[in-house]
Amino acid sequence: MRIAQIKLRVISMPLKSPFHTHLGTVTEREGIIVEVIDSDGISGYGEGVAFSTPWYTEETVATSLHIVSDVLIPLLKKWPIKHPEDAAILFQSVRRNHMAKAGLEMALWDLYAKRNSMSLSKVIGGTRSEIAAGVVVAADSLNSSLNQIEKYLGEGYQRFKIKINPSQDYSVLEEIRRYYPELPLMADANSAYTLNDIDRLKALDDFNLLMIEQPLASDDIIEHSLLQNEINTPICLDESIVSFNDAKNAIELGSCKIINIKAGRVGGLYEAIRIHDFCLDRGIEVWCGGMIEFGISRAHNIALASLPGFTIPGDISASNRFWDEDIISPEVSVKNGSVSVPDTPGIGFGINEKRLKETTRIEKVFKFENK
């Protein structure tokens, strides 16, 4: 892979409506768009999915921009690679900073697939031509949640996720179940609970949930194993899984029955595929989570979710779920509850150059010398 230059763009775009969790509210989304251009002028695209502030993980847009600019790109200049997996292994010399690594590594995957005239899905072993779509319902109020569910049901979404916390969990889920007794429903706690809340979490078994996502601390594996032994509802781990070793340890400890795989959270597609393969071998269900991302990351998620182990509808909603206009063309759409997996080279979506330019706040260019 003869890299000629790498462009980094920090973009910012307002959400169509605020996204609420107990940790905070997102109204404006920043992100880093990574473009890797080879000596033949072919471009591969990735997206750094860290947020502006460290509410989800310790990474931010600013720290990711620093790591990609000052650490990872210099590594690629010093140690040329032949395959995206080489980059993932090379980046292991840098501790954590998984979202920074993922944005750059995934751009290399897109470039590699395009150079080989293959879809990214086929390059990584995808087997599906379409994937089931799920959606997050922003629980800013009960009436709002019910209205959103009705709207998204009409659009065909096949799984619904509700944000919960100890102040509203039972009452909100009880009311939703009153209106929608058979709805494929899961609850996302974003670490709002402790082991002192076991009885409260046991009570949620009443609602036949697909799973409770990340109920305990964001870096915990041990206490989740204790909780899973006490409740019938499957625990899904999200923030706790930032590497293959985390997934392996969680499964061996019985800390969860389901894992949410986000390529951006675990450092890229190489590590995401390793986690997927391990879970598939051991009968652990996986699904692809979302990060309120722009279209480039969403396109990578579509390719990832085409792997055979992704049996639960992911957080892969249409572009218009969050944006008035996305930075890809065509935009991601949901039809009859599913998203088509592109069969054209790379991620299968073009770039809306006009929209990308409109939303760019910072641009940095790094040139490579090819001898």
Side-chain angles (χ1 to χ4, degrees):
M1 300 181 75
R2 295 174 63 82
I3 299 171
Q5 61 178 303
I6 296 177
K7 293 182 181 179
L8 304 180
R9 299 176 178 91
V10 177
I11 69 171
S12 182
M13 199 184 298
L15 274 69
K16 289 171 68 173
S17 58
F19 185 85
H20 301 279
T21 75
H22 77 281
L23 297 171
T25 298
V26 179
T27 58
E28 185 96 6
R29 182 65 159 110
E30 281 189 307
I32 302 174
I33 305 304
V34 182
E35 180 183 4
V36 179
I37 306 166
D38 73 4
S39 55
D40 293 323
I42 302 172
S43 291
Y45 290 89
E47 182 179 325
V49 294
F51 290 93
S52 302
T53 59
W55 67 270
Y56 176 74
T57 72
E58 68 275 15
E59 287 184 80
T60 66
V61 170
T63 64
S64 290
L65 185 64
H66 157 57
I67 292 296
V68 177
S69 301
D70 301 328
V71 180
L72 301 181
I73 290 176
L75 279 175
L76 284 180
K77 287 184 175 182
K78 185 176 181 181
W79 303 102
I81 62 167
K82 295 182 179 180
H83 191 281
E85 291 182 356
D86 299 336
I89 294 167
L90 177 64
F91 295 163
Q92 288 174 359
S93 63
V94 178
R95 298 285 180 92
R96 298 184 71 86
N97 291 286
H98 302 295
M99 293 179 176
K101 294 175 183 178
L104 181 51
E105 187 241 39
M106 291 162 78
L108 293 166
W109 277 103
D110 182 33
L111 176 60
Y112 178 83
K114 287 172 178 171
R115 286 202 61 86
N116 286 276
S117 299
M118 294 175 66
S119 70
L120 180 58
S121 168
K122 293 302 181 188
V123 165
I124 66 173
T127 58
R128 293 187 172 90
S129 60
E130 62 179 26
I131 57 173
V135 69
V136 182
V137 175
D140 45 342
S141 72
L142 180 56
N143 283 339
S144 173
S145 297
L146 292 171
N147 289 336
Q148 288 176 66
I149 290 171
E150 186 69 18
K151 174 179 180 291
Y152 295 134
L153 272 172
E155 295 174 9
Y157 284 97
Q158 299 186 47
R159 188 233 67 212
F160 297 79
K161 181 163 80 172
I162 306 294
K163 298 287 186 178
I164 62 167
N165 63 71
S167 72
Q168 45 76 295
D169 47 15
Y170 198 95
S171 60
V172 167
L173 293 171
E174 183 179 40
E175 193 69 4
I176 291 172
R177 274 289 179 241
R178 187 164 74 87
Y179 283 92
Y180 302 103
E182 303 299 327
L183 188 75
L185 184 66
M186 60 178 285
D188 185 5
N190 288 118
S191 304
Y193 300 82
T194 72
L195 283 181
N196 293 330
D197 298 306
I198 281 183
D199 288 341
R200 183 173 207 96
L201 291 165
K202 274 184 180 180
L204 303 186
D205 286 340
D206 292 347
F207 302 119
N208 191 30
L209 300 173
L210 295 173
M211 69 192 84
I212 298 176
E213 187 178 7
Q214 199 69 40
L216 306 181
S218 62
D219 59 354
D220 172 74
I221 289 175
I222 302 296
E223 291 189 347
H224 278 100
S225 70
L226 303 176
L227 177 61
Q228 184 66 90
N229 284 332
E230 296 292 328
I231 65 175
N232 295 325
T233 305
I235 288 175
C236 169
L237 290 182
D238 176 7
E239 292 97 322
S240 290
I241 309 299
V242 298
S243 69
F244 171 81
N245 283 336
D246 286 340
K248 178 176 178 290
N249 291 337
I251 291 167
E252 291 181 349
L253 286 169
S255 304
C256 62
K257 297 178 181 178
I258 301 170
I259 288 179
N260 170 348
I261 303 179
K262 296 175 181 172
R265 192 190 67 238
V266 302
L269 287 173
Y270 172 74
E271 196 79 345
I273 294 164
R274 292 182 71 209
I275 294 169
H276 162 273
D277 293 350
F278 186 83
C279 290
L280 185 61
D281 286 345
R282 284 152 184 80
I284 299 295
E285 290 190 284
V286 301
W287 61 283
C288 184
M291 291 286 294
I292 320 177
E293 63 262 284
F294 303 106
I296 291 170
S297 179
R298 200 173 297 258
H300 280 276
N301 288 348
I302 292 168
L304 178 63
S306 73
L307 292 173
F310 285 86
T311 55
I312 299 170
D315 285 340
I316 304 176
S317 51
S319 291
N320 65 12
R321 163 73 175 85
F322 293 120
W323 316 119
D324 287 319
E325 185 180 6
D326 206 342
I327 59 170
I328 58 168
S329 180
E331 296 190 352
V332 176
S333 61
V334 175
K335 295 181 180 178
N336 299 318
S338 297
V339 175
S340 295
V341 178
D343 57 7
T344 50
I347 58 174
F349 294 84
I351 302 301
N352 181 340
E353 298 286 355
K354 175 178 174 291
R355 187 59 171 156
L356 181 60
K357 184 176 181 180
E358 288 173 349
T359 57
T360 296
R361 303 292 178 259
I362 299 170
E363 182 171 328
K364 302 175 75 172
V365 178
F366 303 83
K367 296 186 181 298
F368 283 58
E369 293 183 5
N370 288 301
K371 299 178 180 178

